[in-house]
Amino acid sequence: MQKDASLADDHALQKHVISHSIGYLPLMLFITPLTSIWWSAITDHNGSLQLSITRFLADPTESLRWYSLPSHDIGVAFAKWIFFEAILYTVLPGRVCAGQPTPSGHNLPYTVNGLSFLICSVISFLLAAALGWTELSFIAKNWRDVILAANMFAWLLTGLAFVKGRMAPSYKYDTRGNDSYISDIWRGIELHPRFGAAWDLKIFHNGRWTMTALAMIDISFAALQLEINGYITYTMICVMLLRNLFIINFFVNEEWQVPLYHQCPTNILI
């Protein structure tokens, strides 16, 4: 009887895992077409999501183009920038603080260097433009390819996080694996994926280069607006001020943010 009950429980658990996996799969696959819907709304329909969705439903194949690769030049530039940001994250000094204890009892150290990371990143971007290595409007002018590069990088990084979590977790008792690969990819496996003792994959991607990228994107679109119109609109100035206020506040209060990184497993895809 106990054996039959155990088999029934295993069967019920398997059905539960399969049902969740079936639910996660379309969400994963729809992320990329969703990008095309937002893009079309902004560029073709004056911000109307309704018209963009209508167009998508009429011709879904249009969204398949967003599964393509970025141009070679943009892909290389994006890879170089990520590599440069990784170097900054590694070498910039900062006060070391400890997060909350993990479920398995580890007290992980974090280097609070976010504000200096932001300053160095933005200054590097401005300096590269001043030296003629790039244009301030480079991101805005190549926005579609930049999104494609970021999308491709997100898929690659999600795969890396999945393989690492399955094969070489940093702290094996701080993982949340399932019997479904799809579920693990969607929900994440590791709470604190790290390379070595302190190079935190989650901090770098969620709390470093993506945050500074917001500031650089605003600068780039403001520069493009200046090139086209000869002036920067008050709306753009307002957006830049408010967004950068948020970014600076995030980094100034970074030590307060550290406990939040302990709340959920790493899922780079979303």
Side-chain angles (χ1 to χ4, degrees):
M1 292 293 292
Q2 290 181 347
K3 184 177 181 180
D4 292 340
S6 177
L7 289 174
D9 290 341
D10 290 343
H11 183 66
L13 178 61
Q14 187 177 18
K15 287 180 63 178
H16 176 76
V17 170
I18 292 174
S19 64
H20 274 71
S21 299
I22 293 174
Y24 294 143
L25 187 59
L27 292 173
M28 291 168 56
L29 297 178
F30 190 67
I31 288 175
T32 297
L34 184 62
T35 304
S36 73
I37 292 174
W38 283 103
W39 174 275
S40 178
I42 295 170
T43 59
D44 302 327
H45 302 294
N46 199 29
S48 173
L49 274 175
Q50 181 180 356
L51 292 176
S52 182
I53 292 172
T54 301
R55 178 182 176 182
F56 169 76
L57 294 176
D59 184 18
T61 58
E62 179 72 18
S63 296
L64 295 179
R65 298 180 184 178
W66 286 85
Y67 284 101
S68 62
L69 298 177
S71 66
H72 177 267
D73 290 344
I74 302 302
V76 170
F78 186 88
K80 287 181 178 179
W81 179 253
I82 294 297
F83 182 70
F84 174 72
E85 296 284 80
I87 292 175
L88 283 184
Y89 174 62
T90 304
V91 303
L92 286 176
R95 187 159 52 88
V96 177
C97 66
Q100 294 179 350
T102 70
S104 64
H106 293 93
N107 214 312
L108 305 182
Y110 292 88
T111 302
V112 182
N113 60 1
L115 189 59
S116 58
F117 183 93
L118 170 67
I119 293 171
C120 289
S121 297
V122 173
I123 288 178
S124 297
F125 183 44
L126 298 176
L127 184 61
L131 294 174
W133 296 348
T134 187
E135 297 178 292
L136 285 180
S137 57
F138 175 83
I139 298 174
K141 288 180 177 178
N142 298 280
W143 186 230
R144 187 178 189 278
D145 277 320
V146 170
I147 293 177
L148 288 175
N151 188 55
M152 180 183 69
F153 181 64
W155 280 102
L156 292 174
L157 198 60
T158 299
L160 172 64
F162 168 75
V163 172
K164 183 183 180 303
R166 282 276 181 169
M167 300 183 64
S170 301
Y171 305 96
K172 65 179 181 178
Y173 296 111
D174 288 327
T175 61
R176 187 180 65 182
N178 298 280
D179 293 330
S180 167
Y181 288 167
I182 295 174
S183 180
D184 284 348
I185 291 172
W186 175 257
R187 300 177 63 187
I189 299 175
E190 290 190 82
L191 281 173
H192 314 287
R194 291 190 166 200
F195 295 114
W199 212 97
D200 195 286
L201 199 65
K202 187 188 298 184
I203 295 288
F204 175 64
H205 290 95
N206 291 356
R208 287 295 182 270
W209 80 264
T210 50
M211 295 297 292
T212 59
L214 293 175
M216 293 167 54
I217 289 168
D218 285 346
I219 292 172
S220 186
F221 274 92
L224 180 60
Q225 190 179 77
L226 183 63
E227 289 181 17
I228 295 174
N229 301 328
Y231 61 90
I232 300 175
T233 64
Y234 290 123
T235 303
M236 178 67 77
I237 293 172
C238 183
V239 168
M240 292 180 67
L241 287 175
L242 292 177
R243 181 135 48 208
N244 282 279
L245 178 63
F246 161 74
I247 295 169
I248 292 172
N249 177 71
F250 175 86
F251 285 125
V252 167
N253 297 289
E254 184 179 5
E255 187 172 350
W256 178 83
Q257 305 279 354
V258 164
L260 300 181
Y261 293 119
H262 289 249
Q263 301 301 317
C264 58
T266 299
N267 181 352
I268 306 298
L269 188 61
I270 58 172

